[in-house]
Amino acid sequence: ESQDSKIICEKNCINNTTFFNNYADRNINLNSFIKQKETFKQNNPNSYHLNGPANLDLLYFCCHLVLAKEILETGVADGWSSITFLIYLENIQNKGKLTSVDMPYLDKPYDYKCGKIIPREFKNHWLLLVKPDSLALKDLKKESKKYDLVHYDSDKSIKGRQESYPKLWELLNNGGILISDDISDNMSFFNFCEKIKKKPMVIKYKNKFQGVIVK
């Protein structure tokens, strides 16, 4: 499946610049975020270079694209995507909340520092659910809450994706965006897009692929 997915990704991908230019009329400025991101990189060089954070500029841009107030992410690790979302919320005067779902590393159950790069002053608008995706998403569904942007960066297995994508899609507001990392690992993302009859945008960043769907 990885080979099939990579072929589809390479054939259909665009880069960040092309994606951003598609929405040039929105006048979304990344300069402030890029400066803030550089500060965090300088303060956490080992984490940034060793853990390979996601396509942060894309995440920040998409938040502005849908004027996100409620954001949901699965997969936190050191917290690079999380701090991106929290910086966005700070830049819009903290008018929203980030809900993150993650579990301790199996090889370090007693040394779990999820979101360790996130300063205390950014945590007022952050809810961390330390649960498996299946349980956390079930709980969130009971709250009847909807999200403007969802970022999937947790279980990359076929089974994990097949179970989570439909639940995340249900939690997403109409007009909201779902972003999935590492979509070339298997065909799950493209199979899901076909099932919901949506054409995804594929963005290539540092030889990895992200999928974007607008609901």
Side-chain angles (χ1 to χ4, degrees), residues 25-202:
D25 59 318
R26 305 291 183 91
N27 295 315
I28 299 172
N29 193 328
L30 290 174
N31 291 336
S32 175
F33 168 67
I34 290 172
K35 291 178 181 178
Q36 290 170 291
K37 179 179 68 174
E38 286 302 316
T39 299
F40 277 94
K41 284 171 62 176
Q42 291 171 14
N43 293 337
N44 305 275
N46 291 336
S47 173
Y48 186 86
H49 294 293
L50 290 177
N51 295 326
N55 188 348
L56 305 182
D57 291 357
L58 176 69
L59 300 184
Y60 188 86
F61 187 91
C62 285
C63 285
H64 275 288
L65 197 58
V66 295
L67 303 176
K69 297 290 181 62
E70 295 292 337
I71 302 168
L72 172 63
E73 66 169 347
T74 64
V76 177
D78 287 359
W80 286 100
S81 57
S82 307
I83 194 60
T84 296
F85 294 132
L86 292 169
I87 288 172
Y88 161 78
L89 291 175
E90 181 189 63
N91 289 346
I92 62 165
Q93 285 75 53
N94 293 320
K95 297 178 180 177
K97 179 184 286 186
L98 167 65
T99 301
S100 304
V101 179
D102 203 0
M103 284 287 289
Y105 293 114
L106 293 176
D107 59 338
K108 298 178 181 178
Y110 304 109
D111 186 30
Y112 181 52
K113 296 180 181 178
C114 180
K116 68 180 184 181
I117 71 162
I118 301 173
R120 180 176 298 177
E121 61 266 26
F122 279 88
K123 294 183 178 181
N124 292 333
H125 295 268
W126 186 40
L127 172 63
L128 173 63
L129 303 177
V130 184
K131 298 179 179 181
D133 287 357
S134 56
L135 294 181
L137 298 182
K138 183 178 180 180
D139 290 345
L140 292 175
K141 182 179 178 181
K142 290 178 182 177
E143 296 179 7
S144 299
K145 189 175 182 178
K146 296 287 187 177
Y147 296 87
D148 305 307
L149 185 142
V150 172
H151 178 221
Y152 185 82
D153 192 19
S154 49
D155 186 352
K156 306 299 174 61
S157 69
I158 294 174
K159 183 175 184 294
R161 293 175 189 267
Q162 287 177 340
E163 291 181 352
S164 293
Y165 284 149
K167 295 175 183 176
L168 293 170
W169 191 249
E170 189 176 354
L171 290 169
L172 190 64
N173 274 321
N174 289 331
I177 286 179
L178 185 153
I179 305 170
S180 180
D181 276 16
D182 304 311
I183 60 172
S184 63
D185 289 352
N186 50 59
M187 285 293 295
S188 300
F189 178 77
F190 293 108
N191 291 339
F192 176 69
C193 290
E194 184 176 354
K195 183 177 180 180
I196 61 173
K197 295 180 172 57
K198 288 286 184 176
K199 184 178 180 180
M201 289 169 277
V202 178

